[in-house]
Amino acid sequence: MCGIFGFYLKRKLVEKDINEGIKYLKLLNHRGPDDSGCWYDKEKGIFLGHNRLAIIDTSKKNSQPFTDGNAVISYNGEIYNYLDIKRKYKHVFNNFKTSGDTELLIKFWKLKKNEIFNELDGMFAFAIFDENKLTLAVDFFGEKPIYYSSSKDGFYFSSEAEPLIKLLGLKVNNIERNMLEFKIFGYINHPQTGYKDLFKLGPSTIIDVKNDNGKIELNSKKYWVPEERNFSTLKPREITKENIKTIKNILIESIEKRMISDVPIGLFMSSGVDSTLIASLIKNDLGYDIDTYTVEFDQNLIHNESVLASKISRHLNLRHHILKNSKSQGYNISEMINLYSGELNDNPTIFSFYKMSMLAKKSLTVAIGGLGGDEIFLGYNRYNFYYKYLRLIKFLRYFKYLLSFFNHLSIKKISKLNSLCNNLLFVSKKSIYVNYKNLNQLKDLEKKYIDDISSTFFSGNLNLFLNEVARYDLDYTMPNSYIPAMELGSMKASVEIRSPFLNRKLYKYITENIDQRALIKYGSKFILKSILKSYIPIEYLNQPKRGFVFPIKNIVGDEYKSRNQSKLLLRDKIYNLLLNENSIN
């Protein structure tokens, strides 16, 4: 796990360029405190920088940027199945200098180029300079970020937004669409970032950068499109014991590959189903005595995960550590902006991951986490809401259509019915984007923006609605909100978090072999709970859904009224602070 930074200019490099590259690479030191290096070619105008968090083959010979012949790589992440690939192509690969995944990745790239994505299992963001072309790529689910920008001099990229914002003097883009998008979502949908000329690579995306006689050309494309979910069956098909057994085996395989590490590894554990299942499989099926960690915030401000997490760990005979967060007050928006490196994001769980990682860093460098379980297994409560009320929404739409024929009549009841339909349809539409209930504060945006963005991500065909909502969460909500909170929060403390649920093989099996309606009808996380029953008492499973959260009151202070209202207030303050300061501390 590391930080990467670099640029490809239209001209030859001068000493100032190299000095600036080294200077702004240092802003990513927290991502890789174990080593730092750079590679450049003045004539070709290319600079690659790398800060290393040493995890696999921690020797200096595995430092980056790493060269193999004429190719150079600066790479952030882990290729979990690199040993399998190494064995498969042993007749082709030879003369390995290291035992890590970096050298394997660059050799594999030279052999198969874009076809490598058909075989990789991992989280990664890499930059490879080969044959006078710079190639950037982000993993399948967007676990590892790449930000990029262009200027009059050329093309720039970074693992975090801050180096590019400062180097290029980028400003918050003060346009109404950005403001409204952030107010509705709490983030900006990739590839936009809310900054002028700053972009973010989306999941499973690759971008080629060429210098054609002083003109930089960019070409990006998706190398993997997730399989579509099918909700069209009238009656949900049974989820069989064989289905559950196969899913369990895929999960065990995914966890085992994510346990490969030459440094201490632990498990970040909430009291939820996802991390509890991972802990159970690690202990009982893989035989690892992994340490588990839970952060405890002020119990008066937030529910306490640590009590139940401790009980579960004791039941599994695992050593559990409660990381007490003594700072119950004093969090502020500026601190949150700095953790996000200037990115427009209002997800306060970044504090939870940061504090937990800072406290756990004394004992570990790598942590296993449960992110992705809700996206893969449709665990969010809103999926159940749509499943239950989709017929009603369809009826309301049809009824509203019928009422339109009577609009010319001054009938009070018709007017009230039409208004009721509009309100209910607005609730169903709006709930896709926001998780609070302040309709009145957003209703004036319906015609101006919500309808527009609905047509961007949703076809309007209610028969496809559940699939489109699930796909939106996978493609946008997770990589723009949940992953940055986890990834940036942990990496600020130099800790890598690996997510076994974010596995392409698992996603493919779930979408192709399981009736998607059954995932919802049989109850949230039915499959995962069915596996868990063999390991822990049933009373531990029937807990309300929570996840890692953080008391927003600690950020917005005395202006806090309700959690929902505070989200709107927080978004306004974040946007205005970045807009007015036009920089980060």
Side-chain angles (χ1 to χ4, degrees):
M1 192 60 59
C2 311
I4 65 174
F5 172 84
F7 42 82
Y8 191 16
L9 302 186
K10 302 174 183 179
R11 53 171 173 77
K12 296 178 182 180
L13 300 185
V14 297
E15 286 302 315
K16 180 183 177 183
D17 299 319
I18 297 167
N19 291 335
E20 284 189 335
I22 295 171
K23 173 184 176 181
Y24 288 100
L25 177 63
K26 288 180 180 178
L27 295 179
L28 301 176
N29 279 348
H30 53 275
R31 298 186 69 92
D34 297 326
D35 195 15
S36 183
C38 63
W39 174 93
Y40 53 85
D41 187 318
K42 288 185 176 181
E43 292 297 314
K44 295 180 179 178
I46 182 75
F47 176 99
L48 298 181
H50 188 270
N51 286 330
R52 185 185 183 200
L53 182 63
I55 291 174
I56 297 176
D57 187 353
T58 60
S59 67
K60 288 286 185 181
K61 62 184 179 182
N62 208 34
S63 294
Q64 298 183 50
F66 191 96
T67 60
D68 188 272
N70 294 324
V72 189
I73 186 172
S74 184
Y75 155 56
N76 169 30
E78 306 290 347
I79 304 301
Y80 302 124
N81 64 335
Y82 78 99
L83 291 174
D84 296 335
I85 296 171
K86 200 172 185 178
R87 284 189 291 267
K88 180 178 178 180
Y89 292 94
K90 63 182 179 181
H91 61 290
V92 178
F93 300 143
N94 51 56
N95 299 323
F96 276 92
K97 301 174 185 177
T98 73
S99 59
D101 59 341
T102 301
E103 185 176 9
L104 178 281
L105 180 57
I106 193 169
K107 286 182 181 294
F108 198 30
W109 172 264
K110 290 174 67 177
L111 177 68
K112 305 197 75 172
K113 294 296 190 290
N114 290 357
E115 292 181 12
I116 67 171
F117 302 112
N118 297 327
E119 300 185 56
L120 294 183
D121 172 22
M123 59 176 180
F124 51 82
F126 65 70
I128 293 178
F129 188 70
D130 185 26
E131 298 176 352
N132 293 322
K133 180 176 70 174
L134 175 66
T135 300
L136 307 178
V138 165
D139 62 69
F140 309 101
F141 298 99
E143 293 181 77
K144 295 288 108 186
I146 291 182
Y147 298 84
Y148 64 96
S149 184
S150 296
S151 75
K152 61 180 177 60
D153 288 322
F155 177 87
Y156 300 78
F157 67 90
S158 175
S159 290
E160 294 180 8
E162 182 180 7
L164 302 183
I165 293 170
K166 289 188 171 180
L167 172 61
L168 302 175
L170 303 178
K171 309 296 183 184
V172 173
N173 213 353
N174 186 22
I175 58 175
E176 187 175 41
R177 184 180 177 90
N178 275 348
M179 180 188 70
L180 297 182
E181 183 167 336
F182 183 59
K183 188 153 188 167
I184 291 170
F185 291 101
Y187 55 82
I188 303 292
N189 279 304
H190 62 73
Q192 302 298 321
T193 62
Y195 282 84
K196 185 173 172 39
D197 298 324
L198 179 65
F199 305 95
K200 183 178 181 180
L201 225 56
S204 59
T205 302
I206 187 169
I207 183 168
D208 291 326
V209 186
K210 295 181 181 180
N211 187 346
D212 185 11
N213 296 320
K215 180 181 180 182
I216 297 294
E217 295 182 354
L218 308 181
N219 180 34
S220 65
K221 65 179 179 179
K222 297 273 285 188
Y223 59 79
W224 175 61
V225 178
E227 291 78 9
E228 296 290 345
R229 295 179 185 266
N230 182 7
F231 292 90
S232 62
T233 55
L234 294 176
K235 184 178 180 181
R237 295 193 312 274
E238 179 185 2
I239 298 174
T240 67
K241 291 182 179 179
E242 189 62 32
N243 291 144
I244 294 173
K245 181 181 178 181
T246 301
I247 290 168
K248 177 182 175 181
N249 289 336
I250 295 173
L251 270 173
I252 291 172
E253 178 188 28
S254 181
I255 294 168
E256 185 173 28
K257 291 187 184 303
R258 284 152 180 79
M259 290 289 291
I260 298 173
S261 174
D262 293 332
V263 295
I265 187 169
L267 172 66
F268 282 172
M269 188 171 182
S270 69
S271 57
V273 170
D274 300 335
S275 59
T276 299
L277 177 58
I278 292 173
S280 301
L281 295 177
I282 288 175
K283 174 66 176 181
N284 292 282
D285 292 84
L286 294 175
Y288 292 115
D289 287 318
I290 194 170
D291 284 19
T292 59
Y293 300 81
T294 303
V295 66
E296 179 182 275
F297 288 98
D298 190 328
Q299 296 183 34
N300 296 320
L301 296 174
I302 193 171
H303 65 267
N304 186 7
E305 295 272 11
S306 62
V307 176
L308 182 55
S310 296
K311 290 180 180 179
I312 293 170
S313 293
R314 284 197 300 270
H315 180 81
L316 294 172
N317 198 25
L318 293 172
R319 293 182 298 273
H320 186 67
H321 307 269
I322 297 175
L323 307 171
K324 294 185 180 296
N325 178 43
S326 59
K327 185 178 180 182
S328 59
Q329 297 293 335
Y331 297 100
N332 56 59
I333 296 172
S334 293
E335 185 177 3
M336 187 174 181
I337 289 172
N338 284 328
L339 284 176
Y340 274 114
S341 295
E343 182 175 338
L344 277 164
N345 198 312
D346 82 324
N347 190 335
T349 57
I350 193 169
F351 285 116
S352 302
F353 283 108
Y354 173 63
K355 290 299 177 184
M356 186 160 52
S357 299
M358 284 291 290
L359 294 167
K361 180 63 178 175
K362 302 171 186 176
S363 306
L364 57 78
T365 302
V366 178
I368 304 295
L371 183 70
D374 288 302
E375 286 77 12
I376 304 298
F377 289 92
L378 302 182
Y380 292 121
N381 293 329
R382 59 180 169 273
Y383 299 141
N384 185 54
F385 172 84
Y386 294 135
Y387 178 79
K388 280 185 176 180
Y389 298 108
L390 196 55
R391 287 184 180 178
L392 174 60
I393 294 170
K394 287 181 179 180
F395 171 76
L396 286 171
R397 179 183 281 188
Y398 178 68
F399 190 56
K400 185 175 182 296
Y401 172 74
L402 291 178
L403 288 175
S404 66
F405 290 102
F406 299 95
N407 280 344
H408 62 286
L409 300 176
S410 298
I411 302 176
K412 194 172 183 179
K413 288 185 178 180
I414 293 293
S415 177
K416 286 185 176 181
L417 283 172
N418 195 43
S419 177
L420 176 62
C421 286
N422 284 333
N423 286 336
L424 290 174
L425 285 169
F426 178 75
V427 171
S428 67
K429 182 188 299 180
K430 185 214 62 108
S431 60
I432 299 167
Y433 311 116
V434 289
N435 296 320
Y436 46 82
K437 301 175 183 178
N438 298 302
L439 279 180
N440 291 334
Q441 297 184 57
L442 287 180
K443 198 167 183 181
D444 61 322
L445 306 180
E446 180 178 9
K447 292 300 178 187
K448 185 180 291 184
Y449 185 75
I450 294 183
D451 282 344
D452 175 46
I453 199 147
S454 292
S455 62
T456 302
F457 299 105
F458 302 94
S459 66
N461 183 345
L462 291 179
N463 292 321
L464 301 175
F465 186 62
L466 275 167
N467 176 62
E468 291 176 341
V469 172
R471 188 59 173 273
Y472 179 84
D473 281 339
L474 184 75
D475 289 348
Y476 292 96
T477 307
M478 185 170 68
N480 289 321
S481 180
Y482 304 148
I483 285 176
M486 180 189 75
E487 204 273 343
L488 290 170
S490 62
M491 289 306 295
K492 290 292 184 183
S494 306
V495 170
E496 169 181 301
I497 300 181
R498 300 173 176 177
S499 304
F501 288 108
L502 295 180
N503 179 296
R504 197 166 42 153
K505 182 177 179 181
L506 178 63
Y507 180 84
K508 182 178 176 65
Y509 184 85
I510 291 292
T511 53
E512 292 185 350
N513 297 276
I514 303 296
D515 189 320
Q516 302 304 293
R517 287 180 179 268
L519 284 177
I520 302 172
K521 181 177 174 60
Y522 294 152
S524 177
K525 307 290 183 65
F526 168 79
I527 294 175
L528 302 186
K529 289 179 180 178
S530 296
I531 300 172
L532 261 177
K533 288 176 183 178
S534 302
Y535 300 104
I536 66 171
I538 190 68
E539 60 264 25
Y540 291 167
L541 301 180
N542 298 321
Q543 301 295 318
K545 182 172 178 56
R546 290 168 178 153
F548 284 116
V549 296
F550 185 88
I552 284 184
K553 181 176 180 179
N554 285 14
I555 306 173
V556 298
D558 295 337
E559 295 169 276
Y560 177 93
K561 292 182 180 179
S562 72
R563 182 172 179 83
N564 294 326
Q565 289 174 321
S566 70
K567 285 188 177 183
L568 290 174
L569 179 61
L570 179 60
R571 291 167 191 180
D572 279 339
K573 287 192 171 186
I574 290 172
Y575 189 89
N576 289 330
L577 184 60
L578 285 173
L579 181 64
N580 292 333
E581 292 187 355
N582 279 321
S583 65
I584 53 180
N585 296 328

